[in-house]
Amino acid sequence: MTTQVPDPTLSPVESMFAADEASRRLGIELLHHAEGTAVVRMTVTSTQVNGHRIAHGGYLFLLADTAFACACNSYGPVTVAAGADIDFVAPAYEGDVLVATARERTRFGRSGIYDVTVVRGDEVIAEFRGRSRTLRTVQNEEPQ
């Protein structure tokens, strides 16, 4: 197992996103991030549409989840999803450029709630709510 040394010039979000092979392979771009917020973009490709020729909901969820991950990891400690829900509002199609904007609603203890809106231009495509949990760090623990 190889251990990747974090690049000290990158923010926690940039470092996490650089290692996010799934999001990058789908063409997701990190447009903006700050404490508690993030904006990502993806163009729907032919491999991301279902049998009805609309964007597969799993890809819309992944886009929103990526924005959520960037927003909730903006403070530095490793934070993961404890749960998430999505409401599909309108269909997206091949070639559509989708932008997901995540905003922190609240943080309490090691938990947080984030809302993500996915749009095509001015049209809302999906609304996502993610619940985060910051992991505890254990000093000198061997990887299992």
Side-chain angles (χ1 to χ4, degrees):
M1 181 173 129
T2 60
T3 303
Q4 194 169 2
V5 177
D7 182 340
T9 65
L10 298 178
S11 72
V13 172
E14 292 164 335
S15 182
M16 180 197 69
F17 192 77
D20 184 348
E21 197 70 23
S23 294
R24 286 186 300 104
R25 284 186 182 238
L26 290 174
I28 296 175
E29 304 167 85
L30 176 61
L31 301 180
H32 170 77
H33 64 88
E35 285 190 350
T37 187
V39 181
V40 298
R41 175 176 56 205
M42 176 184 84
T43 300
V44 178
T45 67
S46 63
T47 61
Q48 296 169 337
V49 296
N50 63 24
H52 299 296
R53 305 309 302 160
I54 60 175
H56 191 290
Y59 290 108
L60 299 179
F61 188 97
L62 190 146
L63 176 66
D65 188 52
T66 298
F68 163 53
C70 291
C72 69
N73 277 278
S74 61
Y75 296 99
V78 174
T79 304
V80 297
D85 300 294
I86 193 165
D87 290 299
F88 301 110
V89 177
Y93 302 95
E94 180 181 347
D96 285 353
V97 177
L98 305 179
V99 175
T101 302
R103 291 182 182 87
E104 178 182 289
R105 302 299 299 152
T106 188
R107 283 183 4 175
F108 49 100
R110 292 178 24 238
S111 299
I113 298 173
Y114 293 77
D115 286 337
V116 182
T117 300
V118 178
V119 298
R120 172 186 51 229
D122 292 332
E123 183 180 13
V124 174
I125 300 299
E127 293 285 353
F128 172 105
R129 174 159 277 188
R131 295 168 303 282
S132 69
R133 188 75 171 163
T134 299
L135 299 181
R136 289 188 175 129
T137 57
V138 178
Q139 298 290 330
N140 302 320
E141 184 175 317
E142 289 294 316
Q144 296 180 352

